[in-house]
Amino acid sequence: MIVCRSKAEIEKLRRVNQLVARILAELRRMVGPGVTTKEIDASAEALVRQAGAEPAFKGYHGYPATVCASINEQVVHGIPSARRLVEGDVLSLDMGAKLDGFYGDCAVTVPVGRVSEQAAALLRVTEEALFHGIEAVRPGARVSDIGGAVQQHVEAHGFSVVREFVGHGVGTALHEEPQIANYGPGGRGPRLSEGMVLAIEPMVNAGQAAVKVLGDGWTAVTRDGSLSAHFEHTVAVTGDGAEILTLLEAEAARARALLALSD
Ligand code: MF3
Ligand code: CO
């Protein structure tokens, strides 16, 4: 069953998702050569707790940290470590929090200093693909319309969509129904209705789609060692489209430009 949230519940989800987005923006400013992902994680946890919220990932199936910090060929679920970022790396930061009983979830991939043209293109196309997916969200659309739109954009640019990890409903649990694959075909799965809240999170590889999980039981990497990117927004289905709950006011103009791409 996919839950449709009331106005009051959506307001709580707006609050926690805005908090997650603000903290991610703060973490993004820390990213640079010489910084370790453990330092970023420590700041993340402090900021979440200062706001009266709790980390959503820490302790989830035993996950040990507040953020997932996935570098270069790491796709998702990279565990923060003493590894120092170097110029040219790409770092995916994924964070969830719980506030007043409701969860927020958001991810971005950021360049460390100057990155290769291929890396820059991968980040751009993955974020665009996320917005193509968001553009597909409206009452009456089918769940797989989202993945169909994501996949089409990614493959048109010669990149590939990771199959093993999916987006999800989010609400009073971090992961609720439905699962949201990042590939099509469209026109399948449940219909969307006003009040559903969805975390859409394409993971895109510069090379082949295949991934494997490392011996730590968490870190997913590309099998071919190619770079990977991950962007995630949590959105609420509205009367005629979607409200991006993790979109900051300062990013609204950029988001409008990205959405215009998919018209
Ligand atoms: N955004 C990812 C997801 O929703 C991250 C989960 S990490 C975990 O699945 F540690 F909580 F598993
Ligand atoms: Co998620």
Side-chain angles (χ1 to χ4, degrees):
M1 198 211 25
I2 308 176
V3 187
C4 292
R5 300 290 172 187
S6 68
K7 288 257 171 345
E9 290 172 321
I10 297 280
E11 179 52 30
K12 290 185 179 185
L13 283 156
R14 199 179 278 122
R15 277 184 55 215
V16 64
N17 278 286
Q18 285 285 303
L19 173 67
V20 169
R22 277 200 304 277
I23 293 173
L24 263 188
E26 191 77 26
L27 301 178
R28 201 192 165 115
R29 282 193 283 277
M30 292 180 68
V31 172
V35 177
T36 71
T37 51
K38 232 180 172 23
E39 289 162 351
I40 294 170
D41 186 67
S43 295
E45 182 165 359
L47 290 165
V48 167
R49 296 201 190 277
Q50 266 165 41
E54 277 170 49
F57 300 168
K58 200 168 190 171
Y60 184 88
H61 294 284
Y63 185 74
T66 297
V67 298
C68 298
S70 309
I71 306 169
N72 296 339
E73 78 289 352
Q74 298 176 351
V75 177
V76 282
H77 304 164
I79 298 173
S81 74
R83 172 165 169 184
R84 280 183 204 287
L85 297 172
V86 299
E87 175 123 18
D89 283 344
V90 298
L91 172 67
S92 301
L93 286 173
D94 186 357
M95 196 183 81
K98 184 185 188 183
L99 179 68
D100 201 10
F102 286 83
Y103 284 86
D105 194 2
C106 189
V108 289
T109 302
V110 294
V112 181
R114 276 184 63 87
V115 299
S116 70
E117 254 175 61
Q118 188 202 41
L122 177 68
L123 270 49
R124 178 177 58 76
V125 169
T126 307
E127 189 176 22
E128 286 170 1
L130 168 59
F131 278 84
H132 282 269
I134 293 171
E135 187 72 16
V137 174
R138 65 182 71 94
R142 299 282 192 114
V143 167
S144 86
D145 294 342
I146 298 169
V150 167
Q151 180 181 21
Q152 205 260 323
H153 188 70
V154 167
E155 293 181 355
H157 287 84
F159 298 135
S160 52
V161 162
V162 172
R163 306 296 203 270
E164 286 84 348
F165 301 98
V166 297
H168 50 94
V170 50
T172 52
L174 176 63
H175 294 142
E176 298 185 352
E177 286 178 42
Q179 294 198 1
I180 306 168
N182 292 298
Y183 53 90
R188 310 265 169 96
R191 284 191 193 279
L192 303 180
S193 330
E194 185 170 1
M196 291 179 180
V197 177
L198 310 171
I200 304 175
E201 49 179 321
M203 287 138 273
V204 175
N205 298 346
Q208 299 300 306
V211 304
K212 64 180 180 192
V213 175
L214 297 184
D216 62 16
W218 282 103
T219 315
V221 299
T222 58
R223 276 193 182 268
D224 63 7
S226 66
L227 292 179
S228 189
H230 178 209
F231 282 84
E232 175 176 26
H233 273 307
T234 294
V235 309
V237 183
T238 63
D240 63 353
E243 175 186 343
I244 306 174
L245 301 180
T246 41
L247 185 66
L248 296 176
E249 190 50 44
E251 294 284 317
R254 254 188 87 245
R256 270 194 299 278
L258 283 164
L259 286 168
L261 284 173
S262 33
D263 285 347

